[in-house]
Amino acid sequence: MPNEADLPIDPPVVDLPIPTHDRGFYNGFSREVTIPGKIIVSLIIMWAIFFPVRAMETLKIANSTIISSFSGWYIYLVAVLILVCGALALYPKAGSLRIGAPDEKPEFSRFSWFSMLFGAGIGIGMLTYSTGEPLAHFANNPDIIRGTIESASPEAVRSAYMWTFLHWGFGAWCTYSLVGLAIGYVAHRRGLPLTIRSSLVPLFGKSMSGMSGHLVDIVAVVATILGVAVTMGLGVQQFVAGLHRIGFGDWLMVQGSDGTMTASATAIVVALLVLVGASTVSALSGVGRGIKWLSNINMGLSFGLLALFAVAGSGLYGLKLLGVGIWDYVVTLPVNSLTLFTSDGSESADALVQWQLDWSVFYWAWWIAFAPFVGMFIARISRGRTIREYVFGVALVPALMCFLWMGLAGGTAIDLELSGVAEGRILETGISDQLYATIAVLLNPTAAFIVSVLVVILLMTYLITSVDSAILIVNTINGAGEDEGARRYHILFWGVALSFVVGSMLILGGIEAIRITMIIGALPFSVVVTLMCVSILKAVVFDLIRKRHGVPTTEEACLEWAEDQATT
């Protein structure tokens, strides 16, 4: 092996010491990350509980100023992430690099891997938006705002699916893929701690052991809590709506300000106690048992529900929408990914700007806020796969599952409305209840009751899986990449904190309050994501250069090289 002085490029950093406490309550934890993270989340909770009026006024101001100012940043950043993921997968030499040792085999089977990807990634959102988003864009989308097609008409269906697929396609999964790859590549290949700061070591080296690394992990913890809070908020509302549908009592629902029924404060509290309690117990069991077991159940129930819509619903119509929607999505992806609506003072231009803020910007911020959680989780379960298999697996398979869900479930709902069978009973109900409303119109009362019970069970397992995973990931970040040891009290803290964030925000201003808080909270982490994008590109390019010159690129090879250098 060549001497260090003869190398045209240095071997990569394979050691990142992160200081952790060695005794007491924070034994094994980085107090510089854990304590500030807990303080920030606790302040958000107290702000919402003790100053609700001022909190809501602040969120409204932020919604009309900060969020609109940074909408272009979110739009263009996600477009760049899609481009970078495609380049890494399609470039032959980069795509063949393995996330781990050159001969390492994957830990999980492909079925379990895909199940965990989908369950932790977008499972809950699918149950809410599989009918909700196609119906929303069926009633209003940019083409309808421009006046080129009529709202809720047969002509509106095609554009409704084009925009729906834009939000649930590569934008989401390439964001997750890139964050997970930036973490997993250096963790599994170079032996660095499985935490967010490690992904930036190719850029900043061992300086990530210090204050800058602590700041990155703190930002990731807060973004994770807020991103999961949106998912939990949607899930809790739909869970309560399902319990109401299957006869748990009228106390569960109250009439909202928009005239639709929404979950009552009491129902939110009860649902959070049940769901977060179960999630915390599952988190204590670890990823190998709790999450894998629940993820496989989720996938089985999901396929069963899909089969119901395919057979009893508008299966052929849904498959047609799936095919046409994918074609329209792929063809318009470059343009739609880079389109930023601006206002010229006209009513239609203002409506287009507001539509993009309510949908595209919300989604891009949600995926970015969700990315530290999902990215860390994906990195954890993807060891041993090549970059090409990883990117295609993470970006394509779950996206196709989302499209299939929306084609069959959403297509059935739209078909029932277009044919006049639903008579507005699906379109006019709240988004949390639209899946149940579709089932109620489609099936006889007995069958609808049974299927609704199964949906509630599926939703509950998705919620438990997501919160379970999020708590473990937050604990891993706080533990400097380690997930073993006495962390029971910290798991309990984050479970309680998450329930308080969701509950206080839902009671304060519904899902809108969580949405605005999350978009603002995602801004700091969006800067981290940008740096991660540059960092993984540098890591891959430099490893290809190292391979060409015979320089070690993996932890084991670097340690062997260091031993050889020490003896010569």
Side-chain angles (χ1 to χ4, degrees), residues 153-476:
S153 65
E155 293 75 25
V157 177
R158 187 163 180 171
S159 62
Y161 271 87
M162 178 187 70
W163 292 108
T164 298
F165 287 0
L166 175 70
H167 296 148
W168 291 86
F170 298 149
W173 291 100
C174 285
T175 301
Y176 298 158
S177 178
L178 188 133
V179 171
L181 180 60
I183 299 166
Y185 188 82
V186 297
H188 300 317
R189 191 175 179 90
R190 300 180 179 179
L192 300 184
L194 188 70
T195 188
I196 301 296
R197 72 172 77 191
S198 296
S199 65
L200 300 184
V201 169
L203 276 183
F204 302 111
K206 289 192 175 182
S207 66
M208 297 310 295
S209 291
M211 188 55 65
S212 57
H214 301 330
L215 181 61
V216 167
D217 282 348
I218 293 167
V219 166
V221 167
V222 175
T224 298
I225 293 298
L226 295 178
V228 174
V230 172
T231 302
M232 275 293 290
L234 292 170
V236 164
Q237 289 189 323
Q238 192 169 25
F239 181 71
V240 171
L243 293 178
H244 181 259
R245 280 274 177 179
I246 60 180
F248 273 71
D250 292 337
W251 62 275
L252 293 163
M253 304 292 285
V254 295
Q255 190 169 26
S257 57
D258 59 355
T260 61
M261 301 300 289
T262 187
S264 67
T266 304
I268 290 170
V269 172
V270 172
L272 284 171
L273 286 173
V274 172
L275 294 168
V276 177
S279 301
T280 304
V281 171
S282 180
L284 292 170
S285 73
V287 69
R289 293 185 294 274
I291 299 174
K292 181 180 176 181
W293 182 73
L294 286 171
S295 294
N296 288 335
I297 291 177
N298 292 345
M299 188 61 77
L301 289 174
S302 296
F303 277 120
L305 191 58
L306 276 178
L308 171 71
F309 282 115
V311 175
S314 306
L316 292 177
Y317 181 66
L319 291 175
K320 177 184 176 183
L321 291 177
L322 174 66
V324 173
I326 290 176
W327 169 260
D328 288 343
Y329 166 63
V330 172
V331 169
T332 60
L333 178 62
V335 173
N336 287 340
S337 294
L338 295 170
T339 295
L340 177 65
F341 294 126
T342 56
S343 177
D344 59 6
S346 66
E347 185 177 343
S348 62
D350 289 343
L352 285 171
V353 170
Q354 190 59 50
W355 182 92
Q356 191 170 50
L357 289 173
D358 291 341
W359 290 99
S360 300
V361 174
F362 160 66
Y363 274 123
W364 294 172
W366 187 12
W367 305 149
I368 289 170
F370 218 42
F373 151 49
V374 181
M376 285 263 301
F377 183 70
I378 293 173
R380 189 179 182 187
I381 64 174
S382 299
R383 183 172 191 142
R385 302 188 186 277
T386 64
I387 289 179
R388 183 173 298 108
E389 179 188 12
Y390 169 88
V391 171
F392 285 152
V394 175
L396 289 178
V397 176
L400 289 174
M401 275 294 295
C402 291
F403 296 166
L404 183 61
W405 257 97
M406 291 177 160
L408 293 175
T412 297
I414 288 176
D415 191 37
L416 290 171
E417 287 289 355
L418 284 175
S419 64
V421 174
E423 298 179 335
R425 285 178 288 171
I426 302 172
L427 199 57
E428 293 172 6
T429 193
I431 193 169
S432 298
D433 196 37
Q434 285 179 330
L435 180 60
Y436 301 111
T438 302
I439 293 168
V441 173
L442 182 65
L443 304 173
N444 64 62
T446 302
F449 175 83
I450 294 171
V451 174
S452 295
V453 169
L454 291 176
V455 172
V456 169
I457 294 172
L458 177 59
L459 180 64
M460 183 170 63
T461 57
Y462 270 136
L463 282 163
I464 293 172
T465 303
S466 294
V467 178
D468 172 342
S469 304
I471 292 171
L472 288 174
I473 292 304
V474 167
N475 240 24
T476 302

Side-chain angles (χ1 to χ4, degrees), residues 1-5 560-568:
M1 192 167 287
N3 293 323
E4 185 173 6
E560 290 177 357
W561 175 83
E563 290 178 3
D564 290 341
Q565 294 298 307
T567 58
T568 57

